[in-house]
Amino acid sequence: MRQKTKMVHGGITGDEKTGAVSVPIYQVSTYKQPEAGKHTGYEYSRTGNPTRHALETVIAELENGKAGFAFGSGMAAITSVMMLFQPGDHIIITDDVYGGSYRLITKVLTKFNLNYTFINTAELAEIEAAIQPETKAIFIETPTNPLLKITDIEAVAQLANKQGLHLIVDNTFATPYFQNPIDFGANIVIHSATKYIGGHSDVVAGLVVVDSEELAEQLHFIQNSVGAVLGPQDAWLLMRGIKTLGIRMEAIDTNARQIAEFLADHNQVITVYYPGLETHQGHQLANKQANGFGGMISFDVGSEANADRVLAKVKYFTLAESLGAVESLISIPAKMTHASIPRERRLELGIADGLIRISVGIEDIADLLEDLNQALS
């Protein structure tokens, strides 16, 4: 099956007993057992739930992996993946990373003696130089949040494999419709499913896909032990979102390309970060490893005051955290998604006070362009 068909017909579909076309919401905590210590596939919903299992099956198929896991949030997913490692282990991480991931790694995981190094993973030589005897994994975002830098997944996977390291890819921005990191050698793929996979600003969730039975067994043990699982209602909402993910991403990608070109030509915009622009440093690589450029655009208007004025004037771009919804969203990373990163570090990375990040939705492109034009005037 091709990807859009797989989104509708992949995994577990319907219900054999009733003929229901949609997978039922199994709002249940425990299951009747025929004998003590023997069950019919499910015993307790923290360990396994039919609705969650259906979601985990389809995301594994979409990412071409061995097994999928659904968590209560994207951060719960990342935390659970990091619990695969031991005290004293070292992780190499993309420097331009989501603020929540930065906070988790620098403020929480260090308490458990998990060490880290932030580097520009778009430069393979920097990754090689950062590898230590204690290094166990490389964690990358591509495209990154919020500067949309592109890392060569295949090249990093080859390096990781040579060094005996796990490659973890946060694929939230690209989605499984546009990019499949396991096909390029990644071992673990993470999604904040709150974003594009859910797609309607109505669910908080995280998804993980692994490429081996060994990792599947380890992660299931962690998921069951920690209990950071997704509820059946939210699992059902994600499955509904997945069915339209392909057509939503196509519409979003089409809108975003036109908006990026408009911003690149606007005299009030200093810099535009969007891999779909030929001037973007990672354009060719993004074109090689993904089937689309997505709907995330960041652009610098020169100052915090200018950014505030733009946000105050837009009509169709909703000022809000998060991204990936059918409605267009707008934010200032320095004040919102990346506020947990110290200002000195933000500026060092290029996350300026005048940087605006937009998540392009599926509205009429003419309305979005007119809105941005009047706000920038």
Side-chain angles (χ1 to χ4, degrees), residues 4-279:
K4 270 196 291 192
T5 306
K6 196 185 293 185
M7 288 172 178
V8 177
H9 296 285
I12 298 169
T13 57
D15 179 56
E16 291 184 3
K17 291 183 179 179
T18 65
V21 175
S22 175
V23 174
I25 299 172
Y26 286 88
Q27 194 69 50
V28 57
S29 61
T30 192
Y31 306 81
K32 182 179 179 181
Q33 299 185 17
E35 296 180 36
K38 294 184 179 180
H39 57 81
T40 57
Y42 297 96
E43 53 184 326
Y44 190 61
S45 276
R46 171 168 43 78
T47 307
N49 174 282
T51 313
R52 190 174 83 235
H53 177 63
L55 168 64
E56 292 172 334
T57 301
V58 72
I59 192 60
E61 288 190 14
L62 290 174
E63 284 289 11
N64 302 322
K66 292 291 184 182
F69 301 89
F71 297 88
S73 69
M75 293 313 305
I78 293 173
T79 301
S80 298
V81 167
M82 289 300 175
M83 293 180 81
L84 290 166
F85 306 105
Q86 304 296 321
D89 286 349
H90 174 253
I91 313 293
I92 295 170
I93 307 167
T94 298
D95 55 5
D96 173 24
V97 73
Y98 167 56
S101 300
Y102 180 91
R103 179 176 57 229
L104 169 70
I105 292 157
T106 61
K107 303 296 185 182
V108 179
L109 297 181
T110 51
K111 296 178 182 178
F112 300 92
N113 197 26
L114 192 64
N115 303 312
Y116 59 88
T117 301
F118 289 103
I119 62 165
N120 179 11
T121 55
E123 298 294 336
L124 194 64
E126 290 194 30
I127 300 177
E128 289 185 275
I131 295 175
Q132 304 173 10
E134 298 78 22
T135 304
K136 294 296 186 292
I138 303 168
F139 181 109
I140 66 174
E141 284 182 9
T142 183
T144 61
N145 181 5
L147 297 177
L148 288 301
K149 290 190 290 190
I150 306 297
T151 293
D152 189 329
I153 300 171
E154 187 172 26
V156 177
Q158 290 174 355
L159 174 62
N161 184 59
K162 181 180 177 182
Q163 298 288 337
L165 312 177
H166 287 307
L167 175 58
I168 305 163
V169 180
D170 186 326
N171 201 33
T172 299
F173 274 21
T175 80
Y177 185 64
F178 282 150
Q179 183 171 271
N180 299 118
I182 288 175
D183 289 352
F184 294 97
N187 306 112
I188 301 172
V189 176
I190 297 173
H191 290 278
S192 173
T194 310
K195 314 305 192 296
Y196 288 107
I197 291 177
H200 293 78
S201 299
D202 56 10
V203 63
V204 174
L207 296 172
V208 177
V209 178
V210 297
D211 74 332
S212 71
E213 296 294 345
E214 180 183 5
L215 279 172
E217 184 177 345
Q218 293 174 12
L219 195 57
H220 181 262
F221 179 83
I222 291 169
Q223 183 190 47
N224 185 44
S225 300
V226 174
V229 296
L230 188 66
Q233 176 77 34
D234 289 342
W236 185 87
L237 284 171
L238 286 189
M239 285 191 287
R240 185 175 68 170
I242 284 173
K243 292 182 188 298
T244 62
L245 178 61
I247 58 174
R248 285 189 286 108
M249 292 311 299
E250 289 177 357
I252 287 168
D253 184 80
T254 298
N255 279 354
R257 294 186 194 211
Q258 295 183 62
I259 289 173
E261 291 173 359
F262 162 79
L263 292 170
D265 290 336
H266 202 286
N267 59 12
Q268 296 298 317
V269 176
I270 297 172
T271 309
V272 179
Y273 302 92
Y274 182 66
L277 293 173
E278 292 186 2
T279 54

Side-chain angles (χ1 to χ4, degrees), residues 284-310:
Q284 294 300 326
L285 179 56
N287 212 27
K288 170 190 170 186
Q289 66 187 23
N291 298 316
F293 300 110
M296 299 305 301
I297 304 171
S298 292
F299 59 100
D300 192 343
V301 292
S303 70
E304 179 181 346
N306 287 344
D308 287 338
R309 279 192 288 269
V310 171

